Amino acid sequence: SSDVMLACANFCFETKNTVNGNTANDFINALLKQNPYNILAIRLFVKEDIAEKRWESAFERAQYLYNNNPSEEDIVLYARVCAGMNNWEEAMNTAQAAYTTQKQPSDEIIALYLQALYGAKKYGTLRQVISHHLSAARSALKSVLIYYQSLLAPNDEEKLALLRSSLLSDPRSSLTLFALYEWYFRHKDYRKAYYYLQQVIALDPYNKMYLQLAEKLERLQ
């Protein structure tokens, strides 16, 4: 049944395993053969494309989801694809619409809006949004807000202090862990860089880019 196929597709996507030799893509394609408008299958395809940075093919499907009664998840996916293609204007407009039409935007929408504002270089608005949410934010969102503060920091020392503060709010923030890896790598402290990169990999063990960076670091140490 399509439910079973979708469950298999989800399992393969999350774990990067196969089921009876079939990949997530195989299951998604089978679902779309049955029904080309299967929203759940299309959504999973977009997530897989984003994970693999296949922006062109992600865009068409994400746009379809976004234009057809989108859920919050679809709005987020579409804006993430626009961001991935460096179409910051569209990413920002999409995130801004989602942010302003909700009385209490979700943490995910706020994080998306911050990313889009930073990408679109709207630093003034970015500062306003950060200060608006900072005092009341729950720890995971607080970590994201402080991360974006760190990107606006006037110097390297302040940036490091803010990144550490962001990590205190959410020790599992891959955004912040990766930024700390980059900070120490830039300062040629390869041991500390490797330490943070390993934590990023622990959160996303199948990410090819992270694994390649770790290989490069192992050679430098």
Side-chain angles (χ1 to χ4, degrees):
S1 78
S2 61
D3 287 352
V4 174
M5 277 201 281
L6 193 66
C8 289
N10 264 309
F11 170 79
C12 295
F13 174 69
E14 296 295 344
T15 64
K16 301 288 180 281
N17 285 321
T18 57
V19 174
N20 299 335
N22 294 304
T23 64
N25 261 359
D26 297 331
F27 288 112
I28 299 168
N29 280 317
L31 282 162
L32 292 174
K33 265 207 184 74
Q34 285 179 2
N35 171 13
Y37 303 105
N38 183 323
I39 292 293
L40 296 171
I42 295 171
R43 197 177 282 149
L44 197 54
F45 235 142
V46 173
K47 286 181 185 173
E48 179 134 282
D49 281 340
I50 288 173
E52 296 294 329
K53 298 191 171 21
R54 291 189 294 258
W55 302 117
E56 297 298 330
S57 76
F59 182 73
E60 204 174 315
R61 295 189 182 100
Q63 197 175 37
Y64 172 78
L65 293 172
Y66 182 66
N67 289 336
N68 288 279
N69 193 17
S71 69
E72 180 170 306
E73 188 177 11
D74 298 329
I75 294 167
V76 169
L77 288 172
Y78 177 65
R80 280 181 65 197
V81 171
C82 292
M85 299 173 85
N86 290 320
N87 184 351
W88 291 109
E89 205 61 33
E90 181 72 358
M92 190 184 71
N93 292 338
T94 306
Q96 194 164 34
Y99 177 80
T100 49
T101 51
Q102 295 178 0
K103 207 172 156 97
Q104 292 243 285
S106 69
D107 289 2
E108 189 161 23
I109 291 292
I110 295 168
L112 184 73
Y113 190 35
L114 294 167
Q115 182 196 5
L117 285 169
Y118 184 74
K121 299 185 168 56
K122 304 282 189 233
Y123 302 136
T125 311
L126 179 57
R127 284 194 176 88
Q128 284 167 0
V129 176
I130 292 170
S131 58
H132 178 71
H133 291 285
L134 200 53
S135 59
R138 289 189 296 269
S139 56
L141 177 62
K142 191 171 206 148
S143 172
V144 175
L145 291 161
I146 299 170
Y147 165 81
Y148 280 99
Q149 270 187 324
S150 82
L151 296 184
L152 300 171
N155 60 57
D156 255 12
E157 280 56 51
E158 199 168 319
K159 184 182 180 113
L160 182 60
L162 284 163
L163 286 173
R164 284 182 175 148
S165 164
S166 167
L167 200 62
L168 281 176
S169 282
D170 180 8
R172 290 173 61 79
S173 163
S174 48
L175 260 185
T176 306
L177 288 164
F178 191 75
L180 281 161
Y181 147 76
E182 290 184 313
W183 195 97
Y184 283 110
F185 188 84
R186 261 203 328 276
H187 291 80
K188 297 190 169 51
D189 185 340
Y190 299 130
R191 195 176 52 80
K192 277 205 176 123
Y194 191 70
Y195 168 76
Y196 286 111
L197 186 59
Q198 285 303 334
Q199 292 191 55
V200 177
I201 290 169
L203 294 169
D204 188 1
Y206 305 105
N207 187 307
K208 291 190 199 87
M209 182 186 86
Y210 298 152
L211 296 171
Q212 283 163 357
L213 291 173
E215 265 177 50
K216 184 175 155 187
L217 253 182
E218 278 159 15
R219 289 198 294 274
L220 287 169
Q221 284 194 73

